[in-house]
Amino acid sequence: MRSMRTTVTALAGALVLGTVAPAPAQAAPAGPDNPSPPAVAALAAGTTHLPGGDLTNEQLGQVLQQIARASDGRVRLRTAGLTNEGRPIRRATLGHGPTRIFYVTQQHGNEPLGTPAAVRALWALGVPDTAWHRWLRSRITLDVIVRANPDGHVRNWRHNYDPDANPEFGQAGEGYDINRYHNPGLTPEANPVPEAAAIQRVWLATRPHIVVDYHMQGQYVFPDGRPITTSILWPTNPLVTAEAVDSGKQLAVLNHEVLTRVLGAGVSQYPGGDYEGIARNAYGLRGSASLLVELSDLAPEFEEFQINTALLSMLAIAQTAADGSLRRIDPARADAIPPRGEPVSATTAHADAA
Ligand SMILES: [Zn+2]
């Protein structure tokens, strides 16, 4: 585990994304229309003043307001909907480019660390106003649902809050599992889960090319005992087109490469199901490049490491979507990402099914 800590410290170093970028002959040359990209690690290192950990809903609202102000309006805040208890489902947007990207964090209220990562990504891409940042924001528009499940968060539980629910997916007397109600055939108006409906509405309003959904899982190890720090998966529903599967696999290859090489993360495939109501499958069925990212619930001293994992994922996807290199990744390489290994112990193999 010490080597992981060392690589976290090395975040400030100038590791570049060149390991996954296409051959130089294919890359767009740097110039006024494509300024030299900063290393994703350097972008991430500029956000360490922002809070990490398990932010309260109030702290989250405050830091997003701070980012909106610091960005001079380049990060735009909206409410995507209201929970059953009237809490805002927060949406942040930056950029005005044609490539639409949509990140979702914390559909499960007790899986917190994608949320501080999203906060930092919004700062890293929205607050600085260098030529590169302006170029990036001319190429992409990024929407983020920052903590989809604020009601579940205050209870530190998986589901939304709906005590009258007796759901097919969820817990009677508690609420629905938000990440089982994204079915393409289910309209937002008919959706019994306001948080899932809000995410559906953002998808319908933006028709994003890329959707990435950030969760947390228990602790797992590879057969050789190395810790699995992140698991990832593309759409697996059999009705997803081959083209959409390949675009999800391109995201997987990118994440595997960046997280392994920049952070020393242990990245595996995630053994997810085929159900169409899971966001990973639902937005793949709708044609987006879709990926699930599961951060392992490691010991507390690795909290910053895991926030950086999700942050680098978010930044690398934005950067490679903007410069076009994402689409040139060979999707077949995703099949070489190793399967998830065994749980560290029975107690950590909690109900963490995406
Ligand atoms: Zn989850």
Side-chain angles (χ1 to χ4, degrees):
M1 298 297 258
R2 179 179 295 167
S3 64
M4 278 171 43
R5 180 184 296 266
T6 305
T7 52
V8 175
T9 311
L11 244 187
L15 288 156
V16 295
L17 194 56
T19 52
V20 288
Q26 295 175 290
D33 296 330
N34 184 16
S36 297
V40 284
L43 280 174
T47 66
T48 50
H49 62 291
L50 292 166
D54 198 357
L55 302 171
T56 67
N57 287 319
E58 291 70 28
Q59 287 171 327
L60 178 59
Q62 287 164 5
V63 73
L64 288 174
Q65 292 287 349
Q66 179 191 344
I67 291 170
R69 283 194 301 272
S71 75
D72 229 353
R74 293 187 292 274
V75 176
R76 310 179 289 278
L77 304 180
R78 274 174 279 192
T79 297
L82 296 177
T83 69
N84 289 324
E85 292 190 305
R87 292 191 176 87
I89 300 162
R90 302 179 189 281
R91 172 184 176 187
T93 306
L94 64 80
H96 44 87
T99 297
R100 303 286 310 217
I101 305 173
F102 185 18
Y103 298 149
V104 177
T105 75
Q106 212 171 347
Q107 291 198 68
H108 296 139
N110 56 353
E111 299 175 4
L113 295 184
T115 294
V119 166
R120 294 183 189 189
L122 289 164
W123 179 289
L125 300 177
V127 172
D129 203 25
T130 69
W132 180 83
H133 283 83
R134 289 193 294 275
W135 169 84
L136 182 92
R137 294 190 296 259
S138 77
R139 301 298 293 264
I140 66 164
T141 303
L142 170 63
D143 282 285
V144 187
I145 293 287
V146 193
R147 178 175 288 157
N149 186 4
D151 290 359
H153 170 73
V154 300
R155 293 170 175 82
N156 194 33
W157 76 26
R158 175 179 176 90
H159 311 104
N160 79 346
Y161 179 70
D162 193 340
D164 299 328
N166 186 14
E168 181 181 3
F169 301 100
Q171 184 67 44
E174 288 189 4
Y176 292 89
D177 185 336
I178 298 167
N179 198 27
R180 296 295 182 276
Y181 290 86
H182 297 276
N183 314 52
L186 177 62
T187 65
E189 294 72 28
N191 198 321
V193 187
E195 297 86 354
I199 294 166
Q200 288 182 312
R201 286 195 180 93
V202 172
W203 192 96
L204 289 166
T206 64
R207 306 273 164 172
H209 301 84
I210 294 167
V211 180
V212 187
D213 186 23
Y214 290 88
H215 287 251
M216 294 183 71
Q217 63 179 357
Q219 295 182 16
Y220 298 85
V221 290
F222 289 114
D224 65 3
R226 282 184 306 125
I228 291 171
T229 65
T230 306
S231 300
I232 55 180
L233 191 63
W234 48 89
T236 54
N237 180 282
L239 298 181
V240 178
T241 66
E243 183 184 5
V245 171
D246 278 351
S247 64
K249 285 184 169 182
Q250 289 174 322
L251 289 170
V253 171
L254 173 75
N255 276 265
H256 178 261
E257 293 277 343
V258 170
L259 300 178
T260 301
R261 297 197 190 200
V262 179
L263 280 181
V267 182
S268 80
Q269 292 189 31
Y270 181 83
D274 295 347
Y275 182 56
E276 65 168 17
I278 296 170
R280 165 177 58 83
N281 289 321
Y283 300 113
L285 283 165
R286 290 191 188 267
S288 297
S290 175
L291 190 74
L292 166 73
V293 176
E294 293 265 355
L295 309 170
S296 299
D297 188 8
L298 302 176
E301 61 264 36
F302 297 108
E303 189 172 271
E304 278 292 309
F305 179 88
Q306 290 299 58
I307 294 170
N308 275 316
T309 294
L311 172 57
L312 287 193
S313 165
M314 293 172 181
L315 297 177
I317 291 166
Q319 184 168 326
T320 58
D323 69 17
S325 59
L326 175 62
R327 289 194 304 275
R328 294 194 289 271
I329 291 173
D330 177 5
R333 291 166 60 200
D335 297 321
I337 299 170
R340 195 176 71 178
E342 294 300 312
V344 169
S345 72
T347 53
T348 65
H350 55 64
D352 61 7

